[in-house]
Amino acid sequence: MLNYSELPLGQYYDLFMYWKTPVITALVYVLVISSLNPKDSGVSRVVAKSNKQPAKTSAKTSSPIFTAFIVFHNFALCLFSGVTFYNMGGAWLNNFLTRDFKDAFCDRGGKVWESDLFFWSWLFYLSKYYEIIDTIIILSKGRRSSFLQTFHHAGAIITMWYGVLNNATPVWIFVVFNSFIHTIMYFYYMLTCLGYSPPGKKYLTTMQITQFVIGISIAISYLFVDDCLTSTGSRVAVYLNASYVIPLTFLFKNFAKKTYGAKSKSS
């Protein structure tokens, strides 16, 4: 079995698994973003309403160095997400091809957890701290960080932490689905930073919503398979994830309606 001391940054395992680390990080993140978020001006809201367009805060012009950093940031997360999806997706596919369905689905005996899932879940959990830089970039450009953005990042830290802490098998859903979407998403953002205008942003949002609906459906199904989730912690991990993903799905749907609804009707 893989010992946590053998993990990348394993010397910090106890620190990141201690409940105060994710909880305090999430709380501080929410409070800091709330205090630093630019305020919507009343004038911009009136003008936007008269033009039937969403209000936008003015964005700052990025320096070449800052733009280069953003490109590197998106490239790094795209590469990490792609490698994670390739390894974890491949391991889970091999799991289903070589074992009885129930044994594979529940990972009876912890075969996948010990060989791949623990390793990649740990790294994916750590990446949720780094992804806070997404919000820092938004604020540095003089733009507002939406409630969706804040809730998304804070909740991801908490749910990934609890899943890894309790060796919850359904955490594979978060790792595989989210790493796949993030590979595409950060590649898209990298291209926009390089000055390209790739089509399909609307479909990225649709893919996000789809992964939430399918992912949480699979996660909840674990609760109804006999002897699948053998610990209370792993069951609570599913409930915690559902309490995060279900409202997140509605937030994304609301975002899509506001952002693309009018365009879809006019096209």
Side-chain angles (χ1 to χ4, degrees):
M1 179 178 178
L2 182 66
N3 189 284
Y4 70 80
S5 62
E6 301 171 1
L7 295 169
L9 300 177
Q11 64 270 33
Y12 303 109
Y13 182 85
D14 289 335
L15 171 65
F16 280 99
M17 284 295 104
Y18 184 47
W19 70 269
K20 288 186 178 180
T21 301
V23 171
I24 292 177
T25 299
L27 288 175
V28 170
Y29 167 71
V30 170
L31 292 174
V32 170
I33 297 307
S34 299
S35 63
L36 295 180
N37 241 348
K39 305 298 182 183
D40 282 334
S41 66
V43 174
S44 65
R45 287 197 296 270
V46 171
V47 172
K49 186 176 181 180
S50 64
N51 292 329
K52 296 182 179 181
Q53 295 178 348
K56 295 182 179 180
T57 56
S58 58
K60 299 176 183 177
T61 302
S62 300
S63 67
I65 295 178
F66 186 52
T67 299
F69 167 74
I70 298 173
V71 171
F72 173 78
H73 166 75
N74 287 314
F75 171 75
L77 283 174
C78 173
L79 180 62
F80 169 74
S81 299
V83 171
T84 300
F85 174 73
Y86 175 81
N87 284 279
M88 196 61 252
W92 205 256
L93 177 62
N94 182 65
N95 175 46
F96 275 103
L97 292 176
T98 57
R99 303 171 73 185
D100 173 80
F101 180 81
K102 275 192 175 182
D103 287 345
F105 185 70
C106 299
D107 189 29
R108 300 192 194 282
K111 180 180 179 182
V112 182
W113 180 265
E114 294 178 6
S115 61
D116 294 278
L117 187 52
F118 183 31
F119 180 90
W120 292 106
S121 295
W122 161 251
L123 288 183
F124 208 63
Y125 163 55
L126 293 183
S127 75
K128 298 307 168 188
Y129 290 90
Y130 177 76
E131 286 176 12
I132 289 176
I133 292 178
D134 286 348
T135 308
I136 295 174
I137 290 172
I138 290 173
L139 296 178
S140 298
K141 289 182 175 182
R143 299 172 181 169
R144 280 186 60 81
S145 174
S146 65
F147 176 75
L148 166 60
Q149 172 92 358
T150 306
F151 181 78
H152 191 181
H153 284 294
I157 291 173
I158 298 295
T159 52
M160 275 302 303
W161 159 73
Y162 200 77
V164 175
L165 178 68
N166 289 281
N167 297 7
T169 299
V171 77
W172 75 266
I173 303 166
F174 200 142
V175 176
V176 173
F177 283 40
N178 203 236
S179 64
F180 172 73
I181 297 297
H182 277 196
T183 302
I184 301 171
M185 183 183 76
Y186 284 111
F187 181 71
Y188 178 93
Y189 290 155
M190 183 181 68
L191 290 180
T192 60
C193 289
L194 292 172
Y196 297 99
S197 300
K201 186 176 181 180
K202 174 181 178 180
Y203 301 107
L204 277 175
T205 305
T206 301
M207 290 172 68
Q208 287 272 28
I209 295 171
T210 301
Q211 71 149 332
F212 296 143
V213 173
I214 296 176
I216 198 59
S217 298
I218 297 174
I220 291 175
S221 72
Y222 272 87
L223 298 171
F224 301 96
V225 180
D226 293 337
D227 300 322
C228 199
L229 300 179
T230 56
S231 70
T232 301
S234 60
R235 297 181 69 85
V236 173
V238 173
Y239 290 119
L240 179 64
N241 197 260
S243 67
Y244 163 64
V245 171
I246 291 174
L248 185 62
T249 303
F250 283 101
L251 287 172
F252 264 94
K253 289 185 70 175
N254 187 52
F255 167 80
K257 183 179 179 180
K258 288 183 177 179
T259 307
Y260 311 115
K263 294 180 181 179
S264 300
K265 291 178 183 178
S266 62
S267 58

